[in-house]
C-alpha cells in the first residue's frame, strides 16, 4: 500500500519531478518491543521517512512494533542472521553478546541521564558502538531509556530491607540477576512480554523500569508501588544486521547512518514529553510513588556486582573513563 502510494504520488507529480520516485527496492524490517507511538518507535519512523525521502523512495524502513517479531533476546539473534534488518533494543539483552555493553548496564554507573548523554555522545559512545561490529551488528545510534526503578504489587519499598525476599523480574542479563541478589531480592529474568501476567498471577512481585515503559506496558495496573531509586540508566541502541548492511551500497549505508543519527534529537524530545505524560497518567491511576529514598545503601551494595563483571582491563578502563566524565 505504501509502495503504491509512493508510486502514485510520483506518477501524479509526473514530469515535474527531477528524480522520479520509485517503489521501494529495499525494505528494511525493523523491530521494537514497544507499542506504536512510543518514542523509540516514532524515532525509527522518523529515520525511515528521512531514508525514504533521500533515496527518492527506493530505500524504505518498515517498523514492526509491539514485539510483533518476537521478544528482544530472540529478535537480537534473528538480527544477527539477517532475518530482521534493524532492531531497537536495550543494551541489557546485549550484555552476554557484546562485552562492552555490560559497562553501561552496571547499576549506578551513570550519575544522571545528562551524564549518560555526555558519555554516549562522545568517544566512549563511539567505541562501544564500534564494539558491535565483530558480533555481526552495525551500531547506528543510541536512544534513551530514562532511569529504571522498582515497582511491585505488595508494598512500598522505602529501603533495601523492603526488597528482601521479593521476586523481581529483570531483563535477561547476568548483571541484573546479580544486582537483585546483591540487593537481597530474588531475581527472575523474563522476557518483557511476560511481566504483566506474571505480576498479575503472583509468579513475581514486581519488576523495574522507566516511567514510559511502566505506563505503556500497563504494569502500573498490577503493581502500584513505584520507588524512584533509579538504579539503572541503560542506554538503548539501534543496530542493523551486518548481513543486511553488506547488501547496501556505500552510499545507502551512509544515508542510513546519517538518518539514524538525525533521529536521536527527535527521540530525546519525544522521550522528555512522554516521561511527563506517563508519570501523570500513572499517578492519576492511583500509583503510590516513593520519591524520597536514600540511594547510598543501594549504591554501596553494588560493589560485588562490579567486582564480578568488570574483570578485563578493557572494561575496567571503560568504567574509569565513564566515572571520570564530567
Ligand atoms: C524498556 C526498554 C525495552 C526493554 C524493556 C524490558 O525500558 O525500552 O527495550 O528492554 O525495558 O524491560 O525488557
Amino acid at each position: 500500500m505504501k509502495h503504491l502510494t509512493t508510486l502514485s504520488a510520483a506518477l501524479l507529480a509526473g514530469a515535474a519531478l527531477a528524480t522520479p520516485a520509485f517503489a521501494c527496492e529495499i525494505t528494511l524490517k525493523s523491530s521494537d518491543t514497544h507499542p506504536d507511538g512510543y518514542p523509540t518507535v516514532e524515532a525509527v519512523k522518523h529515520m525511515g521517512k528521512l531514508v525514504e525521502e533521500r533515496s527518492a523512495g527506493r530505500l524504505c524502513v518498515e517498523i514492526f512494533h509491539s514485539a510483533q517479531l518476537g521478544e528482544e533476546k530472540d529478535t537480537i539473534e534473528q538480527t544477527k542472521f539477517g532475518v530482521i534488518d534493524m532492531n531497537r533494543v536495550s543494551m541489557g539483552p546485549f550484555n552476554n553478546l557484546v562485552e562492552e555493553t555490560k559497562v553501561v548496564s552496571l547499576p549506578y554507573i551513570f550519575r544522571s541521564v545528562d551524564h549518560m548523554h555526555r558519555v554516549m555522545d562522545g568517544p566512549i559512545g563511539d567505541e562501544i558502538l564500534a564494539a558491535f561490529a565483530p558480533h555481526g551488528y552495525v551500531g547506528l545510534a543510541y536512544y534513551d531509556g530514562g532511569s529504571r526503578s522498582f515497582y511491585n504489587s505488595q508494598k512500598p519499598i522505602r529501603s533495601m530491607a523492603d526488597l528482601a525476599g521479593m521476586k523481581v523480574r529483570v531483563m535477561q542479563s547476568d548483571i541484573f540477576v546479580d544486582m537483585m541478589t546483591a540487593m537481597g531480592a530474588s531475581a527472575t529474568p523474563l522476557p518483557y512480554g511476560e511481566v504483566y501476567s506474571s505480576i498479575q498471577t503472583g509468579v513475581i512481585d514486581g519488576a523495574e523500569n522507566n516511567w514510559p515503559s511502566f505506563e505503556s506496558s500497563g504494569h502500573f495496573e498490577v503493581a502500584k508501588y513505584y520507588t524512584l531509586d533509579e538504579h539503572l540508566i541503560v542506554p538503548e541502541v539501534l543496530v542493523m544486521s551486518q548481513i543486511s548492511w553488506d547488501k547496501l551500497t556505500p552510499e545507502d549505508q551512509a544515508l542510513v547512518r546519517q538518518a539514524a543519527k538525525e533521529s536521536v534529537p527527535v527521540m530525546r524530545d519525544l522521550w522528555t514529553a512522554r516521561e511527563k505524560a506517563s508519570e501523570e497518567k500513572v499517578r492519576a491511576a492511583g500509583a503510590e510513588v516513593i520519591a524520597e529514598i536514600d540511594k547510598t545503601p543501594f549504591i554501596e551494595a553494588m560493589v560485588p556486582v562490579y567486582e564480578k563483571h568488570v574483570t578485563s582491563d578493557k572494561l575496567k578502563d571503560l568504567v574509569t573513563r565513564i566515572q571520570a566524565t564530567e
Side-chain angles (χ1 to χ4, degrees):
M1 190 61 201
K2 192 173 173 196
H3 303 188
L4 204 66
T5 319
T6 315
L7 192 60
S8 333
L11 289 174
L12 284 174
L17 277 179
T19 322
F22 297 104
C24 312
E25 280 169 21
I26 300 172
T27 300
L28 303 174
K29 268 197 340 195
S30 190
S31 172
D32 199 311
T33 197
H34 290 302
D36 201 17
Y38 196 90
T40 52
V41 172
E42 294 307 306
V44 175
K45 275 192 204 166
H46 178 82
M47 179 213 170
K49 213 170 120 246
L50 296 179
V51 165
E52 204 168 322
E53 273 167 21
R54 292 170 188 175
S55 69
R58 192 174 39 73
L59 191 58
C60 307
V61 174
E62 191 175 358
I63 176 142
F64 294 82
H65 53 74
S66 315
Q68 290 172 71
L69 301 180
E71 296 287 352
E72 279 189 0
K73 210 160 167 271
D74 301 330
T75 61
I76 286 175
E77 246 173 62
Q78 293 182 44
T79 307
K80 189 179 176 94
F81 297 118
V83 180
I84 295 173
D85 305 299
M86 267 180 18
N87 206 348
R88 192 295 313 161
V89 288
S90 166
M91 294 280 232
F94 255 117
N95 288 173
N96 299 344
L97 277 176
V98 181
E99 196 193 28
E100 289 80 350
T101 65
K102 286 172 86 172
V103 169
V104 294
S105 307
L106 287 164
Y108 297 109
I109 182 79
F110 296 114
R111 293 185 293 274
S112 62
V113 171
D114 280 349
H115 180 218
M116 184 273 281
H117 284 161
R118 284 193 295 277
V119 170
M120 303 315 279
D121 290 347
I124 302 175
D126 291 343
E127 213 174 300
I128 298 174
L129 213 51
F132 284 89
H135 306 279
Y137 305 90
V138 178
L140 292 177
Y142 295 120
Y143 286 164
D144 281 34
S147 44
R148 301 174 70 107
S149 291
F150 293 116
Y151 48 80
N152 79 91
S153 61
Q154 302 298 311
K155 60 175 187 203
I157 294 176
R158 302 189 192 279
S159 70
M160 224 165 58
D162 293 329
L163 272 170
M166 270 205 173
K167 281 182 277 168
V168 181
R169 176 269 175 175
V170 289
M171 286 188 279
Q172 291 152 294
S173 154
D174 298 343
I175 290 189
F176 308 134
V177 173
D178 294 331
M179 169 187 84
M180 288 317 315
T181 310
M183 288 181 184
S186 156
T188 310
L190 279 178
Y192 190 48
E194 288 175 26
V195 179
Y196 189 105
S197 62
S198 302
I199 298 178
Q200 202 175 30
T201 56
V203 171
I204 53 171
D205 298 311
E208 45 84 56
N209 223 314
N210 51 51
W211 282 110
S213 294
F214 184 36
E215 174 263 310
S216 64
S217 60
H219 294 174
F220 70 98
E221 297 162 3
V222 287
K224 71 174 226 180
Y225 302 105
Y226 194 33
T227 298
L228 304 181
D229 65 288
E230 303 181 315
H231 53 272
L232 290 174
I233 296 178
V234 187
E236 316 215 325
V237 66
L238 180 65
V239 294
M240 193 158 160
S241 166
Q242 184 74 51
I243 296 176
S244 312
W245 181 258
D246 290 343
K247 289 182 190 158
L248 301 180
T249 61
E251 292 73 25
D252 283 351
Q253 288 175 349
L255 209 159
V256 166
R257 208 181 264 290
Q258 180 60 23
K261 207 171 150 206
E262 287 178 38
S263 71
V264 174
V266 173
M267 198 277 164
R268 287 188 185 167
D269 285 348
L270 290 170
W271 183 263
T272 310
R274 181 61 180 252
E275 250 185 345
K276 207 163 157 270
S278 295
E279 175 172 355
E280 278 166 14
K281 185 172 166 186
V282 167
R283 282 184 187 273
E288 191 172 322
V289 181
I290 297 94
E292 295 300 314
I293 179 143
D294 179 11
K295 293 181 192 170
T296 316
F298 289 84
I299 297 171
E300 286 172 351
M302 293 304 100
V303 173
V305 181
Y306 278 61
E307 276 170 359
K308 180 172 169 191
H309 292 277
V310 187
T311 42
S312 66
D313 286 346
K314 184 168 59 181
L315 298 194
K316 281 182 190 156
D317 174 60
L318 277 169
V319 167
T320 309
R321 281 155 61 211
I322 291 175
Q323 288 171 336
T325 304
E326 286 297 308

